[in-house]
């Protein structure tokens, strides 16, 4: 958990659950595709929505925390734009795609530790 802000934690967990549901529906299982240096790989999701939440913390919330003083407030606004009562908004799907691109770039540069 990156923050003690209850609202941001709740929204980030809801976003992670919505992403997890979307990933499972799109791919028929607990994995998502990623392209690294032109090669397509399938990334297994471990620990379900909890595993996705770790990615949300690393690739959505950490950049906000590192870049902005009011990062928690910005995170709340961002997460609200990503969610509907039923799951992800189109914007939320775009944020997930952006996170995948950031993960792929980090992997191509050798920048993700073995935990991820």
């Amino acid at each position: 958990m990156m923050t003690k802000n209850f609202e941001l934690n709740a929204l980030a967990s809801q976003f992670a659950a919505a992403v997890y549901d979307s990933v499972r529906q799109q791919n028929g299982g607990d994995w998502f595709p990623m392209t690294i240096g032109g090669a397509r790989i399938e990334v297994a999701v471990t620990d379900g929505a909890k595993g996705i939440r770790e990615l949300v913390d690393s690739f959505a919330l950490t950049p906000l925390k590192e870049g902005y003083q009011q990062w928690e407030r910005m995170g709340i606004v961002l997460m609200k734009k990503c969610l509907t009562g039923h799951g992800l908004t189109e914007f939320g799907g775009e944020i997930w795609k952006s996170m995948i691109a950031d993960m792929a770039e980090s992997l191509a540069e050798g920048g993700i530790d073995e935990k991820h």
Side-chain angles (χ1 to χ4, degrees):
M1 202 167 18
M2 287 195 50
T3 177
K4 293 180 180 178
N5 183 299
F6 177 80
E7 185 177 14
L8 180 54
N9 272 322
L11 289 166
S13 291
Q14 288 172 4
F15 176 64
V19 166
Y20 179 64
D21 289 344
S22 176
V23 162
R24 292 184 68 213
Q25 287 175 3
Q26 288 176 2
N27 304 315
D30 288 9
W31 63 275
F32 58 90
M34 181 186 299
T35 303
I36 302 171
R40 184 180 185 276
I41 63 169
E42 293 179 356
V43 179
V45 176
T46 56
D47 291 333
K50 182 180 176 198
I52 297 291
R53 173 61 197 265
E54 290 178 13
L55 296 175
V56 170
D57 286 350
S58 296
F59 292 94
L61 298 183
T62 294
L64 288 178
K65 186 174 185 177
E66 291 173 351
Y68 301 95
Q69 271 191 330
Q70 299 294 323
W71 73 275
E72 289 170 315
R73 190 174 305 154
M74 291 179 74
I76 289 168
V77 171
L78 176 69
M79 292 294 112
K80 284 182 176 180
K81 286 185 173 188
C82 291
L83 295 164
T84 69
H86 314 330
L88 289 179
T89 61
E90 185 176 333
F91 179 77
E94 292 301 315
I95 292 296
W96 173 240
K97 288 177 189 172
S98 177
M99 289 172 54
I100 291 173
D102 290 349
M103 286 179 246
E105 185 178 321
S106 291
L107 281 170
E109 295 171 358
I112 296 180
D113 63 30
E114 60 192 53
K115 179 181 170 192
H116 290 98

